[in-house]
């Protein structure tokens, strides 16, 4: 080819300059974001990035807790983030003699964001709407009939005796909104109201100056979601976010080292555990309490907390660990190879030279795990390594969707994660996992003792007595080694040091994360 | 007979389009039938609500998910033929509405990416061909190797780290402003451009040695005219082919970038729909993107005729 001519070089330079100009002009657009960040005219603006994006603006259908977290909506019943006790929110009080016919008194002097008054009829319409469009909430509330008896009195009749109604009114989709409003934005009663809300990008909320419980300190909140933990970390490092929820475990050291960022961790409300299969091909083994205790003894919980979770968790021995109203006192648990062998021997298995056999044959079991929670495959590996020391082979199967895989019933033990401490009550976990036909009872465990205890729990209306019954069940599950409860992963958040009043919730499902008390310098 | 010249291929395209559409409906239906699980567990909020197997089955019956497959297909096809993919099981809103909200984002990203790819390809491919064997050519080759080797998501994270975290000149995610388009476009373009650069470079070199180019040069035609009228035009056909195919695949292939940069396009929508077993959205995605790719390929086919009249002539001769 001939030598290049200056004209070509000039053309190339022009193209490059155009690209640079485009880049600069686009980047100047980000000035808009900066101005939102800093706030125009001294406005206090907070940018919050949570994890799960909303799929819709409909507060009754949204799959994530985005709308509840935003501080724009409220429920009849709230839950205290520190004690996990339900408290009166939009309902001033509630009463029932038989746990089936309920009378709720609606708080007076509250208006929706569109100015309409909150009264019993508005609450009835909201509840009626949510149970019509959301089968999950319908299943949670079990409402047979709901009526506005007068301006501020709501009557609810449940399908049967159902003391868990009050707890389930805390559900993220059971929030009270004005369902007569024709707009797309959720019209709630919270300290902030939606100015705009695009589920695909972000929501902008502004202070509700007519809020019934005092004025919010912030003028505006820009709330977005990004399921990518790296993206969330980069957002707070770049100054695009003031608060991020749930940074990845690997990023905690990096963020903690940043002098402008505070990282906060609190024990969460879910428990990682091993769920045993009581109806699979090795059902005989799993129905033997000593065998279960042997498997439990193989698990070094502290090693999981330190090695797998980088310290971001606490050990658990039952489904309700911690100091919550229904948390039992943990029993003494010994772990290690020797302890496990004692239990295996007591289970009727042969132990020779520290190795376990059954009918002179080595044992091979199948562990199923999944990667949606990255720690679980690592816990499965720890189990496999510990079991190998006593001669038990554990084949690990990684499932794409654990809830669908377990329907095949082709597993012996699964690593699993469930919310156990939910809405201030053990009802979700106990009934979902051990109730008649419970959808989370993947191990298909049944026991008449447990059924009797669960029936008593389900019919107990008094909250203190109910907590005691939940404790009894949790203790029984621990003593009988019905599944092996291992660790409680921490819930974490990272926020700018300019932010005050932020409280990391124990889960993302039950709390308004943006509150009137949050402030930013 | 000129009408016949155009009617025959037009008839073929229409027939192909209809056949392809039905194949897509069957594929999208079968994928959903063969996939494990359904949206019922998500709809019942199984993560936060204690439900029973009876409640799960009752909802499956109510939604017709337990009906025979042929009944479900007939119902599905009837809806699709009316442009109705039903309502998203998760949002309760029209599936087409959900897709139409997401499509502009992906089209913007894909369009911007292709524009940048074309600019990069012509600049670097042209330079590499012009300075064949020189340091420039080697530099372009190194860029191509690096661009093809670096995973897009990693490049995306590097760009975010540099331009958002350190320099603070571009946002780390989202498309609230046009600035949000810059980093994902650059990340995608760098990953996609290398093969085009190589193809253009080689085509230009090959074309520059052809007889008609040598003849033009011998006639004293200027280099710029030779390049614009002969060399470049001759080199465009392989490039247009691969660019057309890429634009189609870009529509469905921007998933990683959309997730990394928080762009609410169809790729991200499809991934989320898969996670929630919202199969109506997935079916619509397959059919709409499939048909879009068909149309793009058709346009590519048409562009050959514009770039190389001999293709039209051959078609006419066969007709």
């Amino acid at each position: 080819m001939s030598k290049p001519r200056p004209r070509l070089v000039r053309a190339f330079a022009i193209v490059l300059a155009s690209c640079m100009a485009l880049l600069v002009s686009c980047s100047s657009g980000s000035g808009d974001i900066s101005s939102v960040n800093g706030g125009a005219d001294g406005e206090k603006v907070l940018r919050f990035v949570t994890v799960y994006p909303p799929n819709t603006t409909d507060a009754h259908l949204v799959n994530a807790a985005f709308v509840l977290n935003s501080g724009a909506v409220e429920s009849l019943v709230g839950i205290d983030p520190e004690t996990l006790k339900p408290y009166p929110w939009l309902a001033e009080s509630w009463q029932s003699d038989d746990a089936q016919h309920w009378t709720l008194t609606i708080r007076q002097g509250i208006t929706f964001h569109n100015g309409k008054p909150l009264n019993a009829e508005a609450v009835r319409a909201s509840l009626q709407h949510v149970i019509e469009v959301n089968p999950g909430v319908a299943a949670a509330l079990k409402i047979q009939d709901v009526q506005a008896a007068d301006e501020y009195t709501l009557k609810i009749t449940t399908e049967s005796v159902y003391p868990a109604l009050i707890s389930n009114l805390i559900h993220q989709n059971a929030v009270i909104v004005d369902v007569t409003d024709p707009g797309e934005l959720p019209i709630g009663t919270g300290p902030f109201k939606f100015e705009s809300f695009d589920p695909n990008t972000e929501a902008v909320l502004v202070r509700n100056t007519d809020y019934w419980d005092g004025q919010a300190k912030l003028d505006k909140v820009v709330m977005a979601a990004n399921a990518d933990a790296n993206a969330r970390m980069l957002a707070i490092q770049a100054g695009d976010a003031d608060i991020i929820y749930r940074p990845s475990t690997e990023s905690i050291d990096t963020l903690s080292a940043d002098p402008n960022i505070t990282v906060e961790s609190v024990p969460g409300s879910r428990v990682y555990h091993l769920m045993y299969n009581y109806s699979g091909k090795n059902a005989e083994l799993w129905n033997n309490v000593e065998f279960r205790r042997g498997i439990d003894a193989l698990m070094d919980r502290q090693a999981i907390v330190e090695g797998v979770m980088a310290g971001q968790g606490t050990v658990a021995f039952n489904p309700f660990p911690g100091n919550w109203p229904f948390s039992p006192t943990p029993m003494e648990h010994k772990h290690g190879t020797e302890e496990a062998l004692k239990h295996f021997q007591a289970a009727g298995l042969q132990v020779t030279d520290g190795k376990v056999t059954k009918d002179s044959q080595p044992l091979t079991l199948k562990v199923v795990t999944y990667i949606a929670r990255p720690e679980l495959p690592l816990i499965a590996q720890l189990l496999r390594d510990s079991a190998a020391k006593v001669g038990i082979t554990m084949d690990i199967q990684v499932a794409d969707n654990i809830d669908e895989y377990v329907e095949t019933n082709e597993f012996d033990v699964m690593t699993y994660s469930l919310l156990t401490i939910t809405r201030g009550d053990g009802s979700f976990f106990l009934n979902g996992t051990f109730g008649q036909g419970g959808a989370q009872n993947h191990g298909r465990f049944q026991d008449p003792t447990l059924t009797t205890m669960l029936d008593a729990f389900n019919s107990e209306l008094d909250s203190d007595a109910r907590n005691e019954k939940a404790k009894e069940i949790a203790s029984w599950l621990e003593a009988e080694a019905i599944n092996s409860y291992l660790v409680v992963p921490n819930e974490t958040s990272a926020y700018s040091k300019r932010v005050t009043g932020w409280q990391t919730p124990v889960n993302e499902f039950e709390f308004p994360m943006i509150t009137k008390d949050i402030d930013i310098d | 007979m000129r009408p016949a010249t155009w009617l025959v291929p037009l008839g073929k395209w229409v027939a192909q389009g209809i056949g392809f559409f039905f194949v897509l409906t069957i594929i999208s239906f079968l994928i959903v039938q063969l996939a494990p699980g359904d949206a019922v567990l998500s709809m019942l909020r199984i993560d936060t609500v204690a439900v029973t197997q009876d409640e799960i089955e009752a909802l499956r019956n109510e939604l017709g998910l337990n009906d025979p497959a042929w009944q479900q297909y007939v119902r599905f096809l009837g809806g699709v033929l009316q442009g109705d993919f039903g309502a998203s099981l998760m949002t309760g809103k029209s599936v087409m509405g959900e897709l139409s909200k997401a499509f502009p984002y992906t089209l913007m990203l894909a369009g911007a990416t292709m524009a940048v790819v074309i600019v990069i390809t012509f600049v670097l491919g042209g330079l590499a061909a012009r300075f064949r064997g020189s340091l420039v050519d080697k530099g372009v080759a190194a860029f191509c190797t690096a661009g093809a080797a670096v995973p897009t998501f990693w490049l995306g994270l590097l760009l975010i780290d540099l331009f958002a975290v350190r320099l603070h000149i571009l946002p780390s995610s989202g498309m609230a402003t046009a600035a949000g388009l810059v980093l994902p476009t650059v990340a995608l373009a760098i990953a996609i451009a290398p093969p085009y650069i190589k193809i253009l470079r080689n085509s230009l070199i090959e074309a520059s040695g052809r007889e008609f180019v040598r003849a033009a040069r011998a006639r004293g035609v200027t280099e710029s005219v030779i390049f614009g009228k002969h060399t470049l035009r001759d080199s465009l056909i392989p490039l247009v082919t691969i660019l057309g195919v890429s634009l189609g695949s870009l529509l469905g292939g921007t998933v990683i970038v959309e997730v990394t940069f928080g762009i609410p396009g169809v790729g991200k929508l499809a991934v989320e729909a898969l996670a929630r077993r919202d199969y109506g959205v997935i079916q619509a995605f397959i059919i709409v993107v499939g048909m879009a790719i068909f149309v793009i390929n058709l346009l590519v086919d048409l562009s050959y005729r514009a770039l190389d009249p001999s293709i039209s002539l051959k078609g006419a001769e066969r007709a």
Side-chain angles (χ1 to χ4, degrees):
Chain A
M1 296 185 81
S2 60
K3 275 185 74 177
R5 294 184 315 179
R7 199 157 57 171
L8 185 67
V9 175
R10 275 205 305 275
F12 180 52
I14 289 168
V15 170
L16 268 184
S18 305
C19 290
M20 290 302 291
L22 180 70
L23 190 75
V24 170
S25 65
C26 283
S27 66
S28 66
S30 69
D32 299 340
I33 293 174
S34 302
S35 68
V36 171
N37 241 342
D41 304 325
E43 244 187 354
K44 288 186 172 182
V45 181
L46 180 122
R47 294 185 61 88
F48 172 46
V49 181
T50 185
V51 182
Y52 299 112
N55 55 339
T56 172
T57 59
D58 189 330
H60 287 166
L61 273 175
V62 63
N63 61 315
F66 192 95
V67 177
L68 174 64
N69 297 157
S70 74
V73 295
E74 297 173 314
S75 306
L76 291 172
V77 182
I79 180 166
D80 187 311
E82 288 180 354
T83 64
L84 293 193
K85 286 186 176 172
Y87 66 82
W89 204 1
L90 293 180
E92 202 170 52
S93 62
W94 51 83
Q95 189 274 329
S96 175
D97 294 329
D98 59 2
Q100 187 171 10
H101 299 87
W102 300 81
T103 301
L104 290 89
T105 304
I106 307 302
R107 202 179 289 277
Q108 298 185 26
I110 298 176
T111 54
F112 287 108
H113 294 152
N114 58 9
K116 288 185 183 171
L118 175 86
N119 55 27
E121 175 52 28
V123 173
R124 184 207 63 76
S126 182
L127 287 177
Q128 191 71 49
H129 179 262
V130 70
I131 60 180
E132 280 170 9
V133 300
N134 188 323
V137 175
L141 298 182
K142 303 193 190 308
I143 291 178
Q144 186 181 64
D145 185 52
V146 53
Q147 297 293 336
D150 60 38
E151 185 70 6
Y152 294 105
T153 304
L154 190 76
K155 298 273 189 186
I156 293 178
T157 305
T158 49
E159 293 163 2
S160 57
V161 171
Y162 191 48
L165 172 72
I166 296 304
S167 160
N168 280 297
L169 285 170
I170 299 167
H171 193 279
Q172 68 198 50
N173 290 123
V175 294
I176 303 304
V177 292
D178 180 11
V179 291
T180 64
D181 191 278
E184 289 276 310
L185 300 177
I187 303 297
T189 55
F192 293 93
K193 57 184 178 183
F194 285 99
E195 185 178 76
S196 64
F197 184 5
D198 180 354
N200 292 320
T201 54
E202 62 185 23
V204 177
L205 299 114
V206 293
R207 180 195 292 135
N208 171 17
T209 51
D210 297 322
Y211 186 52
W212 60 276
D213 195 23
Q215 290 287 303
K217 292 175 179 169
L218 294 170
D219 294 295
K220 187 180 273 188
V221 176
V222 181
M223 186 169 164
N226 197 322
D228 185 333
N230 276 319
R232 292 197 300 280
M233 179 186 76
L234 290 168
I236 194 163
Q237 286 182 317
D240 290 343
D242 301 303
I243 305 173
I244 60 168
Y245 184 57
R246 204 178 285 160
S248 66
T249 305
E250 309 85 66
S251 70
I252 286 176
D253 286 346
T254 306
L255 292 173
S256 300
D258 190 321
N260 300 315
I261 294 173
T262 300
V263 177
E264 191 173 86
S265 290
V266 298
S269 60
R270 63 174 60 242
V271 180
Y272 290 169
H273 56 281
L274 303 179
M275 188 179 278
Y276 306 140
N277 188 351
Y278 296 87
S279 66
K281 68 176 184 178
N282 290 310
E284 184 195 347
L285 283 175
W286 296 110
N287 280 293
N288 184 327
V289 64
E290 287 297 339
F291 182 77
R292 298 195 298 267
R293 286 175 180 152
I295 294 292
D296 186 80
L298 289 173
M299 300 307 294
D300 182 348
R301 290 165 167 84
Q302 196 57 41
I304 295 173
V305 169
E306 289 164 10
V308 174
M309 317 205 36
Q312 294 299 318
T314 47
V315 299
F317 296 100
N318 61 66
F320 302 138
N323 296 311
W324 309 115
F326 43 93
S327 296
T329 305
M331 298 162 190
E332 188 189 358
H333 286 256
K334 291 180 182 172
H335 73 84
T337 305
E338 291 305 315
E339 183 68 16
L341 288 173
K342 279 186 212 166
H343 290 296
F344 289 136
Q345 204 153 26
L349 300 174
Q350 297 85 52
V351 176
T352 312
D353 298 331
K355 304 295 180 193
V356 178
T357 55
K358 179 174 180 282
D359 302 328
S360 304
Q361 297 296 316
L363 272 178
T364 299
L365 302 172
K366 187 172 185 178
V367 188
V368 61
T369 184
Y370 57 104
I371 57 172
R373 294 203 168 261
E375 298 92 353
L376 294 182
L378 301 176
I379 291 174
Q381 287 171 22
L382 279 180
L383 172 62
R384 180 188 61 190
D385 295 346
S386 300
K389 290 177 186 166
V390 295
I392 299 176
T393 302
M394 295 271 188
D395 292 333
I396 297 177
Q397 166 91 39
V398 180
D400 288 337
N401 185 316
I402 191 74
D403 291 325
E404 288 161 6
Y405 179 86
V406 292
E407 287 183 15
T408 64
N409 206 29
E410 291 175 1
F411 70 99
D412 287 296
V413 55
M414 64 189 280
T415 61
Y416 207 44
S417 166
L418 272 179
L419 285 171
T420 58
I421 302 158
T422 313
R423 300 186 283 274
D425 189 271
S427 176
F428 159 69
F429 171 76
L430 292 176
N431 287 293
T433 310
F434 298 112
Q436 185 71 34
Q440 303 277 18
N441 189 1
H442 302 300
R444 302 175 197 190
F445 177 75
Q446 286 184 323
D447 185 278
T449 307
L450 179 58
T451 303
T452 304
M453 286 195 289
L454 197 50
D455 287 345
F457 168 77
N458 282 332
S459 57
E460 180 59 64
L461 180 59
D462 179 76
S463 60
D464 290 336
R466 191 171 167 79
N467 287 337
E468 285 306 313
K469 287 186 165 51
K471 272 187 202 176
E472 283 171 24
I473 296 174
S475 291
W476 185 84
L477 293 170
E478 184 179 347
E480 294 294 315
I482 309 297
N483 304 331
S484 189
Y485 300 92
L486 301 173
V487 288
V488 178
N490 282 357
E491 288 293 353
T492 52
S493 64
Y495 54 94
S496 161
K497 287 215 156 64
R498 297 186 301 126
V499 174
T500 54
W502 165 260
Q503 187 168 23
T504 305
V506 298
N507 65 51
E508 70 268 41
F509 297 108
E510 299 160 10
F511 307 92
M513 294 191 193
I514 302 299
T515 66
K516 66 184 175 65
D517 300 319
I518 296 181
D519 202 356
I520 188 165
D521 291 337
Chain B
M1 296 286 284
R2 285 197 72 75
T5 305
W6 285 100
L7 279 176
V8 171
L10 184 68
K12 274 186 186 171
W13 291 330
V14 171
Q16 280 175 1
I18 293 171
F20 188 57
F21 170 77
F22 276 100
V23 169
L24 281 176
T25 63
I26 291 168
I27 289 173
S28 61
F29 179 76
L30 285 180
I31 284 175
V32 170
Q33 285 292 311
L34 297 174
D38 49 43
V40 167
L41 297 184
S42 295
M43 290 176 74
L44 283 169
R45 304 293 194 270
I46 191 172
D47 284 346
T48 54
V49 175
V51 295
T52 64
Q53 293 295 343
D54 290 345
E55 286 168 320
I56 292 171
E57 281 310 307
L59 187 57
R60 280 190 179 132
N61 285 332
E62 190 183 321
L63 296 171
L65 298 175
N66 286 335
D67 290 349
W70 68 268
Q71 279 184 14
Q72 292 186 54
Y73 178 71
V74 169
R75 207 161 48 225
F76 166 68
L77 187 62
V80 171
L81 287 173
Q82 297 171 55
D84 177 14
F85 287 87
S88 160
L89 290 177
M90 290 307 301
T91 65
K93 293 185 177 169
S94 152
V95 166
M96 283 309 284
E98 300 286 324
L99 268 184
S100 60
K101 270 194 290 184
F103 244 105
Y105 291 101
T106 298
L107 285 176
M108 256 192 286
L109 179 59
T113 301
M114 288 313 289
V116 173
V117 165
I118 288 168
V119 170
I120 294 176
T121 300
F122 277 94
V123 172
L124 296 186
L127 282 173
R130 191 83 171 178
F131 300 98
R132 183 184 179 189
S134 71
L135 209 60
V136 173
D137 190 18
K138 286 172 184 160
V140 171
F143 170 81
C144 289
T145 307
V150 172
T152 315
F153 78 91
W154 189 66
L155 181 61
L157 293 176
L158 283 184
L159 290 172
I160 293 173
D161 185 58
L162 179 61
F163 290 100
V165 176
R166 294 174 199 276
L167 300 178
H168 295 280
I169 60 172
L170 290 167
S172 59
S173 68
M175 275 178 66
T177 65
L181 198 59
V182 175
L183 292 183
T185 299
V186 171
L188 262 179
I190 289 175
I192 287 172
Y196 308 135
I197 297 170
K198 286 276 188 188
I199 287 169
L200 183 67
R201 173 196 175 274
N202 294 342
S203 299
L204 284 172
I205 290 171
E206 196 182 323
S208 67
R210 294 220 175 145
E211 280 187 15
F212 61 87
V213 173
R214 288 209 300 273
R217 209 169 272 144
R219 287 200 306 275
V221 180
T222 62
E223 281 299 323
S224 57
V225 173
I226 291 173
F227 181 78
K229 281 199 168 179
H230 301 289
T231 320
L232 184 61
R233 188 164 181 166
D234 194 56
S235 309
L236 280 182
I237 290 180
L239 196 66
V240 168
T241 307
I242 192 166
L243 276 173
V245 173
S246 298
L247 186 57
S249 58
L250 252 182
L251 290 179
T254 55
V255 177
I256 292 172
V257 168
E258 286 182 358
V259 170
T260 303
F261 289 94
I263 296 170
V266 286
K268 189 158 173 272
L269 178 71
V271 167
E272 286 167 4
L274 271 173
R276 296 178 201 135
R277 301 293 191 257
D278 196 347
Y279 287 137
V281 173
I282 297 163
Q283 287 173 323
F285 174 82
I286 292 170
I287 293 172
V288 171
V289 172
M291 288 311 291
I293 290 173
F294 177 81
V295 171
I296 288 167
N297 282 333
L298 191 64
L299 294 175
V300 170
D301 202 17
L302 286 172
S303 71
Y304 293 157
R305 291 162 191 272
L307 288 169
D308 187 353
S310 66
I311 294 175
S312 302
L313 291 173
K314 283 172 196 163
E317 281 165 15
R318 281 198 297 274

